[in-house]
Amino acid sequence: MAAHRDKIIAALDVGSTKVCCFIARLTEDGGFRVIGIGHQVSTGIKSGVVVDMEETETSIRAAVDTAERMAGLAVDSAYVAVTGGDLASEAVTVDVSVAGHEIGQVDMQHALDHGRAGYDADGRDIIHAMPVAFSVDGAEGVRDPRGLIGDRLSLTMHLVSAAPGPVRNLEACVNRGHLKVAGLVAAPYASGLATLVEDEKALGTIVVDMGGGTTSIAVFLDGALVFTDVVPVGGHHVTNDIARGLLTPIAHAERMKTLYGSALAGPADDREVIDVPQLGEADGDSASRIPRSMLVGIIRPRIEETFELVRDRLVDSGFDKLAGRRLVLTGGASQLSGVRDLAGRILDKRVRIGQPSGVSGLADLTQGPAFASAVGVLTYATSGPIEAYARLAAREPQGRLARVGRWLRDNF
């Protein structure tokens, strides 16, 4: 649990298309109520990575200032969502002696520390180090070993890491906005915390967060996060495809995507005509007219490519079948018409659109999938259920992480 002065916490989601800041007050029941909301167009981030420090700092300052004004107070630290830095996963197994006594918190902490210290790094930063499964004297399926008696305690840890450069650039931008980084949270993990119900986490669910610059993946199984990955393709790539294909300004391409776009063809697409303003033309009379089917023909290949990349990552990890057939789509790009159905066809899953749930204080405009990650960061900050045993520093150097799915499939 993250306790702050006056029971105030802040979450910051710095994405490729928007920067969002939520300020919340902890409630007596252990939850939180959102009391400040700010979001700003992001102009310094590309594919989840900072490409312009000044632009990113300006966007962060504007979003935080708006949230602080609404909340009527100032914050000096925030939990920050991470999408860039080539997020990757690996499972690490630790085996320690408990000498036949009753297992306690100290023994679990020792196992976690032992796993972290013994892991080969190669310069990556750990974002999360969370227990996935315990076993005592070879007896598997133990969720909480405290109170059990045995000779050997084994622990499987799920490590989520990122390349250090993008993470430190993001932290630097936050610091330049006069905020301390209270903690880092993998964005797909946050989105899962915000959108999944407990049964989905337990039975197995894949979360696909479709952002502006990236599409991130999180797999939950047996109540824990067991796999993460990021595909460097998002909704902004669709907008750029429209702008290039139809020779129209990016702002108009985004508007057409939002109002008329679809990932699937409709029966009336050839008859419906759309006006397309042309690049460099100030006169509205010079706009070209195209059938809606042409717009769909530009959008669909990029969405198909995105889901094919997601499918390939899941197959490579071993979780395509292991996690079951439930998939939750979230993120701003998931709201495009036809995306849900196309995802179901390509990924062979039962798909629903995930929105933040069980949160009070959200404005109507911030209750959609586009704000799931920011809400999930608040959830992580207030409870952190998976990492309750240990908070491991994000600054530990870590090595290139391999896929965890096949290992879990073969060992459990």
Side-chain angles (χ1 to χ4, degrees), residues 65-141:
D65 181 67
T66 301
E68 288 178 333
R69 290 177 181 273
M70 179 177 174
L73 51 84
V75 294
D76 57 11
S77 65
Y79 286 82
V80 182
V82 177
T83 55
D86 187 25
L87 291 176
S89 294
E90 186 172 0
V92 174
T93 301
V94 182
D95 187 77
V96 296
S97 173
V98 290
H101 66 252
E102 182 177 306
I103 298 171
Q105 180 70 37
V106 173
D107 299 301
M108 292 194 299
Q109 185 65 59
H110 174 61
L112 286 163
D113 291 343
H114 183 68
R116 180 183 61 172
Y119 186 74
D120 188 19
D122 195 28
R124 290 176 68 87
D125 289 344
I126 282 191
I127 306 300
H128 299 291
M130 53 191 75
V132 174
F134 294 94
S135 67
V136 178
D137 293 341
E140 298 176 349

Side-chain angles (χ1 to χ4, degrees), residues 84-362:
D86 187 25
L87 291 176
S89 294
E90 186 172 0
V92 174
T93 301
V94 182
D95 187 77
V96 296
S97 173
V98 290
H101 66 252
E102 182 177 306
I103 298 171
Q105 180 70 37
V106 173
D107 299 301
M108 292 194 299
Q109 185 65 59
H110 174 61
L112 286 163
D113 291 343
H114 183 68
R116 180 183 61 172
Y119 186 74
D120 188 19
D122 195 28
R124 290 176 68 87
D125 289 344
I126 282 191
I127 306 300
H128 299 291
M130 53 191 75
V132 174
F134 294 94
S135 67
V136 178
D137 293 341
E140 298 176 349
V142 178
R143 296 307 303 270
D144 187 348
R146 287 175 293 187
L148 298 179
I149 297 173
D151 293 316
R152 307 295 301 181
L153 171 64
S154 297
L155 162 67
T156 301
M157 296 171 59
H158 176 210
L159 302 177
V160 179
S161 76
V167 173
R168 292 172 190 177
N169 287 334
L170 176 60
E171 289 183 312
C173 290
V174 175
N175 294 153
R176 286 170 61 164
H178 303 294
L179 284 177
K180 298 176 183 177
V181 177
L184 298 173
V185 190
Y189 177 34
S191 296
L193 292 178
T195 59
L196 298 185
V197 299
E198 292 304 318
D199 282 349
E200 286 176 321
K201 296 176 189 175
L203 298 175
T205 300
I206 299 166
V207 178
V208 177
D209 186 342
M210 303 182 70
T214 61
T215 297
S216 54
I217 307 163
V219 178
F220 288 78
L221 188 63
D222 292 332
L225 175 73
V226 294
F227 176 72
T228 58
D229 207 338
V230 176
V231 173
V233 182
H236 193 61
H237 293 80
V238 176
T239 302
N240 284 340
D241 289 345
I242 296 171
R244 291 192 177 103
L246 300 180
L247 301 178
T248 191
I250 289 178
H252 288 288
E254 180 67 27
R255 181 175 182 274
M256 283 190 292
K257 181 183 76 173
T258 303
L259 295 179
Y260 310 110
S262 177
L264 294 175
D269 286 351
D270 288 330
R271 298 190 299 273
E272 187 174 348
V273 177
I274 303 170
D275 291 330
V276 182
Q278 297 297 287
L279 279 171
E281 299 285 351
D283 185 4
D285 295 336
S286 63
S288 63
R289 295 170 65 82
I290 64 164
R292 186 169 182 257
S293 59
M294 182 179 292
L295 178 63
V296 175
I298 295 173
I299 292 173
R300 177 164 180 162
R302 180 66 79 172
I303 301 297
E304 286 180 336
E305 177 197 22
T306 303
F307 289 135
E308 286 167 358
L309 289 170
V310 170
R311 181 188 61 199
D312 292 344
R313 300 291 178 91
L314 290 169
V315 170
D316 289 344
S317 73
F319 279 112
D320 182 48
K321 303 300 182 183
L322 191 63
R325 297 196 62 228
R326 185 62 161 174
L327 187 141
V328 173
L329 278 181
T330 191
S334 70
Q335 299 173 96
L336 182 67
S337 175
V339 163
R340 173 180 174 176
D341 293 335
L342 189 59
R345 296 180 189 179
I346 294 176
L347 298 172
D348 189 27
K349 306 291 182 185
R350 292 185 178 179
V351 181
R352 74 171 177 89
I353 300 297
Q355 302 182 99
S357 59
V359 181
S360 61
L362 285 179

